[in-house]
Amino acid sequence: MASTSSTPLSVSSSSSLIDAKASRQSAVASPQCVSLPTLPPPPVQPQNRPWKAATYCRKIARNVMTMATGEAPAEVASAELPDIVKTVQEAWDKVEDKYAVSSLVVAGGVALWGSAGLISAIERLPLIPGALELVGIGYTGWFAYKNLVFKPDREALIAKIKDTYKEVIGSS
């Protein structure tokens, strides 16, 4: 490790600052220091088409992924579908009135979005969330006492749940 002597810098004279810089530059050019070559500037891309650059980057990423896995993109796409997707496709093929079903799905999505907004608005009110939490805790306690504490009540609840399940699903 080479030792360097420090020269005091004086702010009052500009020549001493220039001399100090010159001595540092000569130290950089000494054979003990190694300098790396500079990188070329990045290519200039036109700003009017950012989508083209994004498409190019996606294409590069896709090629890198293909090379990394060693598989072609067509092989990745031909993977076997999960069972739930097959079940949904079979159920959709059995539906006669697809327009009505898709309308119900859209209406359900709108209702879900609206109810989430309503709940969010109620939650912002100062006392309502705490009161609703107390009502929920009270109802849970009442339900547990009425249906879960004693054995005959539990058996009646289980029978009622099984009957409701059979009505919804249908007995086979």
Side-chain angles (χ1 to χ4, degrees):
M1 186 173 225
S3 63
T4 58
S5 61
S6 62
T7 57
L9 297 176
S10 170
V11 180
S12 61
S13 120
S14 64
S15 65
S16 65
L17 287 175
I18 293 172
D19 292 340
K21 285 182 185 176
S23 66
R24 273 188 276 157
Q25 288 175 354
S26 66
V28 170
S30 71
Q32 297 170 345
C33 297
V34 176
S35 63
L36 296 174
T38 59
L39 294 173
V44 179
Q45 295 180 355
Q47 297 298 326
N48 57 0
R49 288 194 232 165
W51 56 270
K52 189 171 184 179
T55 305
Y56 180 71
C57 291
R58 271 189 246 126
K59 191 182 291 186
I60 289 175
R62 198 172 340 149
N63 289 343
V64 169
M65 190 123 157
T66 302
M67 287 187 285
T69 60
E71 300 173 349
E75 292 175 8
V76 174
S78 68
E80 191 171 320
L81 294 175
D83 291 335
I84 191 165
V85 175
K86 290 180 182 178
T87 306
V88 169
Q89 285 177 344
E90 290 171 3
W92 182 252
D93 291 336
K94 290 179 184 176
V95 171
E96 292 179 14
D97 195 5
K98 293 182 176 155
Y99 179 75
V101 172
S102 44
S103 297
L104 285 173
V105 168
V106 169
V110 169
L112 184 65
W113 174 71
S115 62
L118 180 68
I119 290 172
S120 174
I122 289 173
E123 200 172 75
R124 290 187 197 126
L125 297 173
L127 296 176
I128 302 295
L132 290 176
E133 188 174 349
L134 286 176
V135 168
I137 291 171
Y139 181 76
T140 302
W142 173 80
F143 181 84
Y145 176 73
K146 182 164 173 44
N147 295 313
L148 301 175
V149 173
F150 303 109
K151 187 173 183 175
D153 295 332
R154 274 195 307 265
E155 291 172 352
L157 178 67
I158 291 171
K160 187 174 182 179
I161 290 172
K162 287 182 180 180
D163 288 341
T164 306
Y165 179 77
K166 285 180 183 177
E167 285 179 18
V168 171
I169 300 299
S171 58
S172 346

